[in-house]
Amino acid sequence: YWLRAPELAPDGWPDEIRGTLQKIKEFAAQVHSGELRGGASKRFRNLLIIGIGGSALGPQFVANALSHPATDKLRPFFFDNTDPDGMDRTLARLGSELAQTLTLVISKSGGTKETRNGMLEAQVAYHEAGLHFGRHAVAITGAGSQLDEVAKSERWLARFPMWDWVGGRTSETSAVGLLPAALQGFDIAALLQGAAQMDALTRRPETLQNPAAMLAAMWYFATNGHGEKDMVILPYKDRLELFPRYLQQLVMESLGKARDLDGNVVHQGITVYGNKGSTDQHAYVQQLRDGVANFFVTFIEVLKKRDSSCLEVEPGVHTADYLNGFLYGTRRALYENGRGSLTITIPEVNAGTVGQLIALYERAVGFYA
């Protein structure tokens, strides 16, 4: 939480956090203005992000949630696995624009094999295109790590810190998530402000006034405190399609433990899955309604459906009305069959509300643990 409230951090860290944020803003501005260019002296148009786990899931979620192709400064691409075919497909999409592609390599230790393999594959691709990789590369890593040393020796464009006290699955408001977001042109100040606002709400000592405490209490109630039911995340918004994948790591890696703090074997955890509504109504919602009652659903409702007016598909009925109807109808159908759910409503998907969602679930995981 220090990442969005540096004033709460111990001595020395406030300046470190603020300084890194300022460096991120300055670096993104240099890229956007064309002051900073690649080895072929061309302006950057694309962003290749190489990472695994939280180093990829967070940036992927935010990129999908906030992207506006007409206004995005850079287009994001990802190496998030050590599958060579997957990397080849990504490089094929970049094609001749590799010279206009800035690459971020994200690894705290610098030794994570998937990320290292992706970096080596990218280096070869740049070399074969007649380009110097270091003129297109940025490292986000721990000070003195393997990756940090490589970036220094090969004179990469920049290096940004990844601190020991920031876990990968809670790193979206660190350089791991903020640098890609800033380079894509998103409002990172609003994202941090949204997260900070939620952090303030979740510090309230009154449970009923604390949204994260309420959420964690619901998880505990729904799963009998032992993960007996799965958490199904159903956002009714295409922009939030990757939120369930992001939450899989945040929730399952944080809570999936064999022992408690006293060393007792407890085998705790909550299974998370989901995609989006109303797509999932044509996939697995039939089982949720009539099958095994081993789950609870979290519906995420977004009030603003689009920037322009919705098409009228029937007299007085718009496409957005159907999206609302599917959410409310599915929720009612599950309730009538004794299946539990909760609903989170946000006014729209923007940098501020995305920051709020990230902070809400980070804190809820802590309370549940």
Side-chain angles (χ1 to χ4, degrees):
Y1 314 108
W2 301 338
L3 295 170
R4 48 255 189 179
E7 67 278 5
L8 299 180
D11 289 347
W13 284 111
D15 289 342
E16 183 81 10
I17 296 165
R18 293 189 184 104
T20 298
L21 180 59
Q22 184 60 31
K23 183 181 175 184
I24 287 170
K25 293 176 180 177
E26 291 172 355
F27 183 82
Q30 288 178 318
V31 171
H32 296 158
S33 69
E35 178 185 346
L36 197 62
R37 300 182 178 222
S41 296
K42 293 184 177 181
R43 292 175 73 116
F44 290 117
R45 296 185 67 245
N46 308 305
L47 182 64
L48 175 61
I49 299 164
I50 302 176
I52 193 75
S55 300
L57 287 166
Q60 282 173 329
F61 161 54
V62 171
N64 189 61
L66 301 181
S67 175
H68 290 275
T71 58
D72 289 354
K73 304 289 189 182
L74 300 181
R75 296 183 303 157
F77 299 80
F78 292 86
F79 282 1
D80 64 347
N81 195 6
T82 189
D83 178 6
D85 179 57
M87 290 185 267
D88 287 344
R89 292 174 66 192
T90 299
L91 291 170
R93 288 167 58 210
L94 287 166
S96 61
E97 292 192 0
L98 195 62
Q100 296 175 272
T101 301
L102 178 66
T103 294
L104 306 186
V105 184
I106 308 173
S107 174
K108 184 184 292 186
S109 68
T112 307
K113 296 304 181 185
E114 295 95 334
T115 304
R116 180 178 178 275
N117 292 350
M119 180 189 72
L120 295 175
E121 292 270 359
Q123 283 179 321
V124 169
Y126 277 95
H127 178 73
E128 290 179 348
L131 301 165
H132 185 271
F133 181 65
R135 295 287 301 276
H136 297 79
V138 175
I140 302 176
T141 188
S145 71
Q146 282 180 254
L147 178 57
D148 195 39
E149 295 302 320
V150 168
K152 277 195 290 188
S153 65
E154 296 181 1
R155 293 174 299 166
W156 288 16
L157 291 175
R159 293 174 291 125
F160 292 85
M162 198 169 177
W163 300 304
D164 286 343
W165 48 270
V166 180
R169 57 192 180 274
T170 54
S171 64
E172 185 53 33
T173 53
S174 74
V176 170
L178 295 180
L179 181 59
L183 288 166
Q184 290 164 75
F186 304 154
D187 188 349
I188 61 172
L191 191 148
L192 288 169
Q193 183 182 28
Q197 289 171 336
M198 183 58 69
D199 288 341
L201 291 175
T202 60
R203 291 189 188 100
R204 290 177 173 174
E206 305 86 4
T207 299
L208 295 181
Q209 299 298 318
N210 185 320
M214 291 282 285
L215 192 57
M218 174 62 183
W219 296 354
Y220 192 88
F221 172 77
T223 68
N224 292 320
H226 293 286
E228 293 176 7
K229 293 188 178 182
D230 300 340
M231 182 191 304
V232 181
I233 305 292
L234 260 178
Y236 274 69
K237 189 71 172 177
D238 284 3
R239 289 186 176 277
L240 299 181
E241 177 183 5
L242 298 183
F243 195 43
R245 284 182 56 196
Y246 171 79
L247 292 181
Q248 277 183 329
Q249 187 195 20
L250 176 63
V251 175
M252 296 175 71
E253 189 175 354
S254 299
L255 302 181
K257 307 296 177 185
R259 298 178 182 273
D260 65 15
L261 294 176
D262 296 320
N264 303 308
V265 176
V266 292
H267 296 299
Q268 272 284 358
I270 303 177
T271 300
V272 180
Y273 67 90
N275 181 29
K276 63 181 180 181
S278 65
T279 300
D280 287 0
Q281 291 175 225
H282 299 270
Y284 58 77
V285 168
Q286 174 64 39
Q287 177 171 314
L288 300 188
R289 183 168 186 253
D290 295 327
V292 183
N294 63 344
F295 67 92
F296 67 99
V297 174
T298 300
F299 292 100
I300 301 178
E301 176 186 30
V302 181
L303 298 180
K304 183 179 180 180
K305 298 301 186 283
R306 75 186 329 170
D307 291 331
S308 58
S309 59
C310 281
L311 177 70
E312 197 171 277
V313 292
E314 295 174 18
V317 180
H318 301 84
T319 48
D321 295 326
Y322 270 98
L323 192 63
N324 288 336
F326 286 133
L327 189 160
Y328 303 147
T330 302
R331 185 171 62 184
R332 183 178 182 88
L334 293 177
Y335 174 76
E336 289 173 347
N337 278 19
R339 313 302 166 94
S341 75
L342 64 100
T343 303
I344 296 173
T345 302
I346 61 175
E348 63 181 297
V349 176
N350 57 32
T353 56
V354 165
Q356 289 172 348
L357 285 174
I358 288 169
L360 171 66
Y361 275 86
E362 285 182 352
R363 183 77 76 168
V365 164
F367 279 135
Y368 183 86

